[in-house]
Amino acid sequence: MILLNYQSFFNNAMLVLCYSFVTLCQAYENIALNKPAYQKNQYEKGNNTFDASNAVDGLKSNLHWSGGQCAVSATNEETATWWVDLGSINSIHHITLYYRTENKKWDYRNNATSSFLGFSLYVSNTTNRLQGTLCFKDDYFNRSTIPAVFNTTCQVQGQYVIYYNERLHGVSYPSDYNEYAENDLCEVEVYGCPIHGSYFGNYLVSNTMTCQCSKCKPGFFGRRCEFECDVGHYGYNCNETCGHCIDKLQCFHVEGTCLSGCKAGYSGQTCKKNCIVSQYGYNCNETCGHCKDPIQCSAVTGTCLTRCNAGYVGRLCKEECVFGHYGYNCNETCGHCKDPIQCSTVSGTCLTGCKAGYVGRLCKEVCVFGYYGHGCIKECSKFCNRSRDCNPVSGFCNGGCRNGKKGSYCQEDRSLSGRTIEFYCFIGALGLSTIVIVVLIICIILKRRNNKHQERGQEQLRNTVDIPVAYHAGGACGEYIEFREGNTDNPYDRIQERSNVRYNK
């Protein structure tokens, strides 16, 4: 009695288990059925009897190579590739393959078994198998163990299911492998949950009995997580609000990334971060100018809300003071810098020193009385009209020099120069020569007059008495008369006598 009850319980449990398995299997759909298919090397191209689509037509009653229900590849090829396009990315659970059996018993005596040994199954989002996920790679089947109907679990998401096999030249394969690669598949069934309109297989947890999503991935919602978040929202259950994107439509519904960048004043992938101090503009790519208070630089426009640092002007405080000005708002005028270009626009400091006559950091202070020149280190002359009163730039004496001094600096004595002496000597010589000539002329004139007078006197004497002959001797002005004896009579006596006669008349 106990044995019978135990047998009954076992039978009921097996029935429940089998029913549950059938229900589980029925929950998934063959999402490959009648989808586009492709094979790289078709046997007799253009002949639909061997077309790739035969492997997803749902027919598997005739597994002979010429029965029109199998995809048959060309012979003598090193590689064989077949794939089905699921139309979009789907959530896959398991894959089932039906091999070409030639409608014969499937064991080591069936020559078709060697064609499938070493195959691989991939799931990819593209037709490139290497970009996808390897679901299965046969490394252990042989002609006796490979099943006629192969089933493998592959819980991934993808759009393409790819069957691949190879018999490469120069590579050693097990003895059970046939010489060439083939993909003679009579049916390929891909079971999973179709999530129409999705891009990623957009669930995190799915109900394996109903293919419904109990929790969607970020950016999706709906019974099967088939809908993207509405504009302006993203994340789990679309509960997050997009940041300050330039274009709200460009807020990525999954993680909230602003694909076209942030509005001015914001940064970060989601554009929720304010620009850091001293940055502003779109994506905070601009640097603030020389604001007096960096915190008062507008993160949106870059405007300095208080005022600029010394040396800068403009709304953004990026323009330096114009030549010759400095300070806040550039209101100050540079001093007497040696090189005006070297006047600091910030402090007004003359970086290369002052012009002659000025001192101080700003070169606005005139030299103190009695000094002049660069650095005001030269002393004015004590021979200025007013001692040490000179021009602070040139050092020239103001009001002239004291007596006995001359020149701009009053350092030269007033003694005659060489040329002046020569001039005066020339004038003196010329004057002396003139005097000598005049004296000579006068002497000559006087001499001539004297000579005439004497000649007349002598003539008169000759006419009256014989007087000694007079001979002139001596120079022009120091001459004298020498009388020689011509008559023994005393001439003076005669003259006296003659005079007496005149008076007596």
Side-chain angles (χ1 to χ4, degrees):
M1 183 70 180
I2 295 174
L3 181 62
L4 290 175
N5 289 338
Y6 175 79
Q7 185 68 38
S8 176
F9 173 79
F10 178 78
N11 289 338
N12 289 334
M14 289 300 295
L15 181 62
V16 171
L17 181 63
C18 290
Y19 177 77
S20 298
F21 179 76
V22 170
T23 304
L24 176 64
C25 293
Q26 287 179 344
Y28 297 106
E29 302 176 21
N30 179 12
I31 53 181
L33 185 63
N34 294 320
K35 295 295 175 63
Y38 164 86
Q39 61 181 337
K40 181 180 179 182
N41 302 306
Q42 179 180 322
Y43 181 77
E44 293 186 7
K45 289 183 179 181
N47 189 339
N48 293 335
T49 302
F50 314 109
D51 192 76
S53 62
N54 293 336
V56 289
D57 60 1
L59 303 175
K60 45 185 181 287
S61 60
N62 186 351
L63 305 183
H64 192 271
W65 72 277
S66 61
Q69 295 182 11
C70 301
V72 181
S73 62
T75 58
N76 304 324
E77 298 291 342
E78 289 190 355
T79 62
T81 301
W82 178 95
W83 52 252
V84 59
D85 180 3
L86 303 179
S88 62
I89 295 175
N90 286 261
S91 179
I92 298 171
H93 182 266
H94 66 277
I95 302 171
T96 302
L97 303 180
Y98 291 81
Y99 295 124
R100 173 180 62 81
T101 66
E102 296 300 296
N103 297 324
K104 295 179 182 180
K105 183 178 180 180
W106 188 258
D107 57 21
Y108 70 95
R109 289 182 291 269
N110 191 323
N111 292 331
T113 56
S114 62
S115 299
F116 303 101
L117 297 176
F119 74 94
S120 301
L121 276 178
Y122 295 87
V123 175
S124 175
N125 290 337
T126 70
T127 57
N128 186 342
R129 60 186 174 85
L130 299 179
Q131 293 180 352
T133 301
L134 178 63
C135 291
F136 180 83
K137 173 68 173 74
D138 173 28
D139 288 324
Y140 49 86
F141 285 145
N142 57 41
R143 293 182 64 177
S144 299
T145 59
I146 187 170
V149 179
F150 172 78
N151 186 73
T152 184
T153 300
C154 185
Q155 295 183 351
V156 295
Q157 290 84 40
Q159 182 171 338
Y160 297 89
V161 176
I162 304 171
Y163 176 95
Y164 176 78
N165 210 342
E166 63 183 21
R167 301 289 188 268
L168 300 178
H169 180 73
V171 178
S172 296
Y173 296 95
S175 59
D176 280 358
Y177 285 37
N178 69 339
E179 184 178 0
Y180 298 106
E182 299 176 359
N183 54 256
D184 296 350
L185 302 171
C186 290
E187 197 67 28
V188 176
E189 296 174 342
V190 180
Y191 291 93
C193 296
I195 306 176
H196 303 294
S198 68
Y199 291 95
F200 300 103
N202 307 310
Y203 65 85
L204 290 177
V205 180
S206 63
N207 189 318
T208 57
M209 299 302 294
T210 63
C211 281
Q212 292 184 0
C213 301
S214 58
K215 184 177 181 180
C216 298
K217 285 184 177 180
F220 299 91
F221 71 99
R223 188 174 68 89
R224 292 186 174 181
C225 303
E226 67 269 36
F227 301 112
E228 292 182 0
C229 295
D230 294 334
V231 173
H233 295 273
Y234 71 96
Y236 288 112
N237 298 318
C238 303
N239 287 334
E240 299 291 334
T241 302
C242 291
H244 300 271
C245 302
I246 292 178
D247 183 356
K248 285 284 187 182
L249 296 176
Q250 294 298 314
C251 173
F252 189 40
H253 63 281
V254 176
E255 53 196 17
T257 301
C258 292
L259 303 179
S260 58
C262 304
K263 287 182 178 179
Y266 298 93
S267 65
Q269 288 188 341
T270 58
C271 299
K272 291 185 176 183
K273 297 179 182 178
N274 290 324
C275 294
I276 62 174
V277 174
S278 297
Q279 302 292 322
Y280 75 96
Y282 292 107
N283 298 313
C284 302
N285 286 334
E286 300 291 334
T287 302
C288 291
H290 300 269
C291 301
K292 189 173 189 300
D293 184 356
I295 297 177
Q296 295 300 318
C297 172
S298 168
V300 178
T301 63
T303 301
C304 292
L305 303 178
T306 50
R307 64 174 180 173
C308 304
N309 270 335
Y312 296 90
V313 290
R315 181 175 60 84
L316 303 178
C317 297
K318 290 186 176 183
E319 303 169 30
E320 285 193 77
C321 295
V322 296
F323 175 79
H325 293 270
Y326 72 95
Y328 289 110
N329 296 318
C330 301
N331 286 334
E332 301 292 333
T333 303
C334 291
H336 300 271
C337 298
K338 185 177 181 181
D339 183 355
I341 298 177
Q342 295 300 320
C343 172
S344 168
T345 57
V346 177
S347 63
T349 301
C350 292
L351 304 178
T352 55
C354 306
K355 287 182 177 179
Y358 296 91
V359 290
R361 182 174 59 84
L362 303 179
C363 298
K364 291 185 176 182
E365 302 170 29
V366 180
C367 294
V368 297
F369 180 82
Y371 290 89
Y372 74 96
H374 291 291
C376 297
I377 59 176
K378 296 181 180 180
E379 291 189 40
C380 297
S381 175
K382 63 184 178 180
F383 298 108
C384 294
N385 196 26
R386 180 187 175 197
S387 181
R388 302 196 184 285
D389 180 11
C390 71
N391 185 290
V393 177
S394 64
F396 294 172
C397 288
N398 296 324
C401 305
R402 291 184 178 181
N403 293 332
K405 295 294 181 179
K406 64 176 183 175
S408 299
Y409 299 98
C410 297
Q411 297 291 344
E412 302 175 28
D413 293 329
R414 286 194 175 275
S415 58
L416 297 176
S417 63
R419 284 196 167 190
T420 304
I421 293 172
E422 291 177 1
F423 175 75
Y424 284 124
C425 286
F426 172 76
I427 296 298
L430 181 61
L432 183 59
S433 299
T434 303
I435 292 172
V436 171
I437 293 171
V438 170
V439 170
L440 289 174
I441 292 172
I442 293 173
C443 289
I444 291 170
I445 293 173
L446 292 176
K447 180 181 177 183
R448 287 181 179 179
R449 286 180 179 178
N450 187 42
N451 289 341
K452 289 181 178 180
H453 181 71
Q454 289 180 356
E455 288 176 357
R456 287 176 185 171
Q458 289 175 2
E459 185 66 31
Q460 290 175 359
L461 288 177
R462 286 192 193 104
N463 294 329
T464 58
V465 291
D466 292 331
I467 60 173
V469 178
Y471 294 92
H472 291 92
C477 297
E479 54 187 24
Y480 61 93
I481 300 173
E482 182 181 351
F483 293 95
R484 293 185 182 179
E485 195 171 56
N487 193 329
T488 57
D489 292 335
N490 190 336
Y492 295 104
D493 292 337
R494 290 181 179 178
I495 294 172
Q496 184 67 39
E497 290 177 357
R498 186 165 184 149
S499 297
N500 290 329
V501 172
R502 286 180 180 175
Y503 288 124
N504 290 328
K505 287 182 178 180

